[in-house]
Every structure is written in C-alpha cells, then in structure tokens.
Amino acid sequence: MSIRLARVTLREIRMALREPFEISSGRTTDRRILLLELEDADGTTAWSECVAGEQPSYSAETVDTAWLALTEWIVPRLLGRGVAHPRALDGLLRRAIRGHPMARAAVEMGAWTLLAERDGVSLSRLLGGTRDAIATGISIGIQASPDALADKARAALATGYQRIKIKIRPGADIEHIHAAREALGPRAGLMADANSAYAPSDADHLADLDAYRLLMLEQPLAQDDLLRHARLQDRLATPICLDESIRHVEAAEDMLALGAGRIVNIKPGRVGGFTQARAIHDLCRRHALPVWCGGMLESGVGRACNVALASLPNFTLPGDVSPSARYWERDVVTPEWTMDANGMVAVPAHRPGLGVAVDVDRVDDLTVRTRTLAMS
Ligand code: OSB
Ligand code: MG
C-alpha cells in the first residue's frame, strides 16, 4: 500500500489549442502544460498533470508558480519519505504548505495512479468509481458574436454532447444565452459559466437570466464571496454551481451551511487532489447535492484523472470531459480520448492506472524544459 517517491521528473510541454478558448478573464491559444513522471522506490512509475494555467486569471496559480512550488517545496519534502497511502499526502502537504493546491494535486494524484499501476487496477476503481462511461458536456468559450455562438452550440448538440455550457461576461451574456437557447431549443441542457466576472450589484441583471431555464449558473461572483453567493442564490431561480470557490472540503461545507450554491463542479486538480475531491463528492452525496467533473483544458493525462473521478456515483451531471480532438491536433496519449454519438466517454475501468499510455516520443517533441529530482 505504501508510497515512497524515489524520483520525480517535471516537464513543461507546449501544445496549441485547435481553437482559442476565451473566458471572462482572458484567452488561451497555446497551452503550457506541466507533466510529472513519478517513480516509487519499488520502481513503479506513473504520469500526472498539473492543471495550472499560463496566467493567474482563473486562480492565483500558474505553470510557473507550480513549477517553483513543486521543485522547491513539495517534491523535496516527499522524496524518500514513505506514506501509508496516497490519501495521507493530502494532510501532510496541507499542513506544510499554504495554498498551491494545483501543485500539490499534481503529486497527490500521481501517487494514486502509482498505487493503481502497482496493484494492476484502474484509477477509476481504486477511487471507488462505478460507472463505465461518463456523460459529457462541452464548454464553449466566449464567441465574437451571438450568431457565431449559436452555430457552435448547434454543432455541439449534433455531435452528441449532453449539455452545452457557454462562457459569459458582462457585455456578452443575455444576447449570447438568448442565441444559444434559440439554437438549441427549449429542452436542451444549457448552462453558463461566468468565472467570477460579476459583482453582487449585478443581482437584478443575473435574475433576468432565469427566463432562459439554465441548468445552472457557474461561479458568478469572486472566489471568496460565499456569503454574497448565498444572497444571490436567494434572488435566483437558477441554481448556482460553484467552481473556483471550492478549494477544499471545508469550503463545500461552508457553501452548504450558507446556501451559497446547489451544485458543485469538482476538479481534482483545483482542490489539491483526489482525497479532497472524494471528500467533497461524499459530502455532497450525503446532502443530496449533485456534482459534476469540470475540466481545465487538460492533455490526455489530466483527462484520464477526470474521467476516473467522474466515474464515482454522485457525478450525476454531465462533465466537461470532451474528447482529445476537441482540443488538440494530436494528444499525448494512446488511444486518444473519444466520445460516442450519444455523448458518452468510456471509462477504461479494466485497464491499470490511467488506462491510456503516454506517447513519450510525442512528449519529448513537445518538451521545452525538464527537471528531475531524486532521493539522495
Ligand atoms: O471554469 O470550468 C472553467 C477552462 C479553463 C479554465 C476554467 C474553466 C475552463 C473550462 C474548460 O470550462 C473545460 C474543458 O476543459 O473543456
Ligand atoms: Mg468554471
């Protein structure tokens, strides 16, 4: 059971998105992705991915802060140190290091994958997953015009996606949601994600969105504004879903106590890893709150982690786990992630570890920097 890291190699790879992705706080065209290769003292190896972005626009962390936190503080603290189980890493790292949840998660999730590899079980089943396929939704970035969005939304529905999420910001909201609703029809599952672009004083404006029967409104206010989300939720018929605000299970408890939202978007990479992700999942399940798995424009490595997590029972809403081809000309894993015509992504529940193989030659080609830290 125990995990003892002997070596960790960090690599930064660069991959161009097939199309730019715009959220309220910024636009991404080329992804810089931090990949980790972990090796246990027994020789078992596993890959993992850090979900930090290029800019501190979604949260405070970036690829560069994660690189610093991992190389200076997180990995040195763990090398050669045995822990009984990957879940022990969460508390150990949280006690020692304030913040940096995405950097911590990269190692914590990698340790779970190491254990899955060693035991010859899939990450899905190790985590307690029960599903064989994940219902999938698409996240469409802010488009230049409502018409352009309507075309994208219509095409996504035709491809099989089970729900459509559109990014919004002040100035690109009502008209965009209106166009998407017209294009999709009254029954299609439609939702909007604001990535913290609104203020409490926008409550009247946001209440106008109720008319569009959105499945949910994701993260309208700032990440620390739980109380103000609760006041806003009182004003809205549309359920609020929290993403950025939920950085650990305690925040989910606060959300429940305050009534700050009715749905949680769980991203394991945002909450410090699978231990926290599972705790949030279990808490929401006890309170009959649905959860779904969000995405961070991951490569096929991080996607494998999301698919595994989304196979847990309370992930009852479609996740942002689009197939590889939505993002990349060519992914870094084989087989690539695919989605069927009904919007389902298969869980590799009977393959060990991530369930996909990392194409190391391709990773080598894309690597712009690398650093290995090893047990002395
Ligand atoms: O808020 O869910 C978000 C991408 C980058 C940063 C934040 C978010 C997103 C997405 C993309 O919505 C989801 C995906 O990976 O397809
Ligand atoms: Mg979001």
Side-chain angles (χ1 to χ4, degrees):
M1 286 282 260
S2 79
I3 296 286
R4 194 155 69 97
L5 292 178
R7 182 194 302 270
V8 176
T9 299
L10 291 83
R11 306 172 181 246
E12 180 185 333
I13 63 167
R14 301 210 177 181
M15 276 206 290
L17 286 167
R18 289 181 72 162
E19 51 183 57
F21 189 79
E22 185 170 334
I23 70 174
S24 58
S25 54
R27 185 183 171 94
T28 310
T29 48
D30 295 293
R31 287 260 23 234
R32 297 172 56 194
I33 297 177
L34 182 45
L35 294 180
L36 266 57
E37 202 178 359
L38 288 74
E39 186 179 331
D40 192 83
D42 74 359
T44 313
T45 63
W47 287 84
S48 74
E49 176 167 343
C50 177
V51 302
E54 298 73 25
Q55 301 283 326
S57 53
Y58 165 85
S59 73
E61 288 181 276
T62 69
V63 177
D64 296 305
T65 69
W67 185 281
L68 180 75
L70 283 160
T71 55
E72 294 293 322
W73 308 308
I74 297 172
V75 175
R77 185 168 284 274
L78 298 178
L79 282 174
R81 178 165 179 181
V83 291
H85 190 275
R87 69 178 155 252
L89 288 174
D90 174 55
L92 195 154
L93 289 174
R94 273 227 284 173
R95 277 189 297 278
I97 291 159
R98 307 285 172 259
H100 303 283
M102 293 177 175
R104 285 188 272 113
V107 172
E108 198 263 11
M109 291 159 78
W112 282 89
T113 305
L114 266 180
L115 183 56
E117 288 284 356
R118 185 202 289 157
D119 289 356
V121 298
S122 64
L123 189 55
S124 160
R125 294 316 186 240
L126 179 66
L127 292 170
T130 51
R131 293 171 201 282
D132 292 316
I134 310 302
T136 300
I138 193 172
S139 174
I140 302 179
I142 298 171
Q143 301 295 308
S145 69
D147 283 348
L149 173 64
D151 290 344
K152 283 249 149 63
R154 220 179 279 113
L157 197 64
T159 312
Y161 283 103
Q162 295 198 18
R163 69 94 175 103
I164 313 290
K165 155 167 142 181
I166 66 173
K167 294 289 187 178
I168 58 168
R169 61 169 163 77
D173 49 22
I174 298 253
E175 290 81 6
H176 288 241
I177 292 170
H178 182 86
R181 182 48 94 198
E182 291 277 298
L184 297 172
R187 273 187 301 277
L190 176 65
M191 61 175 286
D193 185 357
N195 289 107
S196 300
Y198 293 89
S201 56
D202 293 319
D204 286 340
H205 177 66
L206 292 172
D208 289 344
L209 304 182
D210 281 343
Y212 295 98
R213 307 254 163 226
L214 302 179
L215 293 171
M216 66 193 95
L217 174 61
E218 187 175 339
Q219 197 70 40
L221 308 178
Q223 64 178 17
D224 294 317
D225 271 356
L226 281 178
L227 180 61
R228 289 160 199 86
H229 273 108
R231 290 180 184 146
L232 179 62
Q233 181 67 89
D234 279 343
R235 301 273 313 276
L236 303 183
T238 305
I240 289 177
C241 167
L242 293 181
D243 173 356
E244 288 91 324
S245 290
I246 309 299
R247 280 164 289 169
H248 33 62
V249 68
E250 293 82 3
E253 283 169 358
D254 294 352
M255 167 186 145
L256 281 161
L258 290 166
R262 300 187 186 143
I263 299 169
V264 180
N265 168 344
I266 303 182
K267 297 174 178 171
R270 182 196 71 223
V271 300
F274 288 130
T275 306
Q276 287 292 317
R278 292 206 309 175
I280 296 165
H281 165 273
D282 295 352
L283 174 76
C284 289
R285 192 180 196 193
R286 286 196 297 279
H287 287 82
L289 243 65
V291 304
W292 55 280
C293 184
M296 291 291 289
L297 311 176
E298 288 95 342
S299 81
V301 174
R303 201 159 302 283
C305 291
N306 290 346
V307 167
L309 182 71
S311 71
L312 270 68
N314 196 39
F315 282 85
T316 52
L317 297 169
D320 280 342
V321 288
S322 289
S324 301
R326 151 116 178 99
Y327 311 90
W328 320 113
E329 289 298 335
R330 195 176 138 204
D331 206 338
V332 297
V333 298
T334 49
E336 295 202 351
W337 294 98
T338 56
M339 181 180 81
D340 72 16
N342 298 316
M344 302 299 288
V345 170
V347 179
H350 305 291
R351 276 184 252 143
L354 295 178
V356 289
V358 172
D359 180 343
V360 181
D361 289 338
R362 170 124 177 96
V363 170
D364 280 340
D365 286 345
L366 299 169
T367 298
V368 297
R369 60 170 161 166
T370 173
R371 171 96 182 266
T372 297
L373 297 146
M375 196 163 73
S376 48

